[in-house]
Amino acid sequence: MGAAVHNRAVSSKHLDISNKDQLFAADEQRDIALCGRSLAEPGTTRFAKQGAHDPTPTPYFILEDLFSNLEFFDNSHLLDVGCGTGRVLSFFIQSNLPGKATGVELDPDIAACARTWTRRFENVDVLCDNALEMPLDAFTHVYLFNPFDTNVLMQFIMKVEAEARRPLTLVHMSDNGETYSYIGRSGWSLLRQGEFQSYQTATGRSFHVYDCPQHFSIWQFEPEA
């Protein structure tokens, strides 16, 4: 299985960032350095009637925080649901995390965009698929950035419960109002929760990244033996 590896990505705190525009510009520079293009504008989903939300790239500083205490092994497999153009996959590669990462995107045009840069990396893959229709038993970690409506989320949670064969860690960013979806369900335990709204600069000053606080929760699911 190999030794556990935590997130080792270089923090953005060393950069001279003093406002939101500079922060997002620094994120795009990180995108371009690895992927050859910005991952900041994945576009608008054409599948809103199916409960899908527009893909939203997670700022790197948030990914650094969310993944900071998660363990990955050689046999770990991360699934990013609603991966958009692949910001989480880019972070996975930059962090030198062991195992594999797969992004699943419902929109074929956006999925094709993610494939244009990920195809040269053997440890990442992008599927054009519906997360409710693909097998989930291979995954050890799941990342959600509010990819779908609450009723679809409940279907996804039940699918995890039915198919998981080993412990699974689920990170739900911007789960505002949906934390209750996991509470009281057999096998689920809350590891950590909190909010993101501001970015703290290297000098200690902070500025708002979001107009309202964005809640997150990290869960562990233990399937029945």
Side-chain angles (χ1 to χ4, degrees):
M1 184 167 59
V5 176
H6 298 270
N7 165 31
R8 298 182 295 183
V10 177
S11 172
S12 56
K13 290 290 191 295
H14 74 285
L15 301 174
D16 184 17
I17 295 172
S18 60
N19 57 57
K20 184 167 71 172
D21 289 341
Q22 291 179 355
L23 176 67
F24 289 167
D27 281 358
E28 291 192 48
Q29 289 174 11
R30 287 180 66 168
D31 293 340
I32 294 169
L34 178 73
C35 314
R37 55 151 295 159
S38 169
L39 306 177
E41 298 293 339
T44 302
T45 183
R46 295 175 293 165
F47 297 91
K49 291 184 178 179
Q50 294 176 235
H53 295 171
D54 292 341
T56 305
T58 311
Y60 280 108
F61 84 96
I62 291 178
L63 293 173
E64 289 165 3
D65 185 293
L66 292 175
F67 282 75
S68 61
N69 294 313
L70 302 186
E71 291 185 338
F72 287 82
F73 300 90
D74 291 340
N75 65 344
S76 294
H77 196 165
L78 168 68
L79 175 66
D80 179 20
V81 178
C83 68
T85 52
R87 173 64 63 75
V88 172
L89 303 179
S90 173
F91 175 80
F92 182 87
I93 295 167
Q94 292 183 40
S95 301
N96 296 314
L97 292 171
K100 298 186 294 185
T102 296
V104 57
E105 173 56 50
L106 192 60
D107 191 303
D109 292 337
I110 299 176
C113 183
R115 286 200 191 101
T116 60
W117 72 264
T118 56
R119 61 167 60 102
R120 62 191 174 95
F121 296 97
E122 294 182 355
N123 62 335
V124 298
D125 190 20
V126 174
L127 304 176
C128 181
D129 206 341
N130 185 329
L132 296 181
E133 297 175 359
M134 59 180 288
L136 300 179
D137 56 298
F139 300 104
T140 59
H141 298 73
V142 173
Y143 183 79
L144 309 175
F145 192 141
N146 192 23
F148 28 54
D149 293 344
T150 302
N151 64 321
V152 182
L153 172 63
M154 293 304 304
Q155 294 177 60
F156 183 76
I157 290 174
M158 289 187 288
K159 184 174 173 65
V160 169
E161 294 170 347
E163 298 184 12
R165 295 295 178 265
R166 50 182 173 163
L168 180 143
T169 302
L170 185 147
V171 180
H172 195 153
M173 173 60 186
S174 288
D175 66 350
N176 305 313
E178 292 182 328
T179 308
Y180 68 87
S181 300
Y182 305 88
I183 295 174
R185 301 188 68 89
S186 178
W188 293 92
S189 58
L190 179 63
L191 300 180
R192 183 161 73 98
Q193 65 177 327
E195 292 180 341
F196 292 105
Q197 184 175 17
S198 300
Y199 175 86
Q200 186 171 12
T201 68
T203 61
R205 194 180 70 83
S206 63
F207 56 84
H208 281 181
V209 178
Y210 299 108
D211 293 334
C212 300
Q214 300 298 301
H215 188 269
F216 74 87
S217 55
I218 302 177
W219 301 84
Q220 181 83 4
F221 176 70
E222 296 281 349
E224 294 183 2

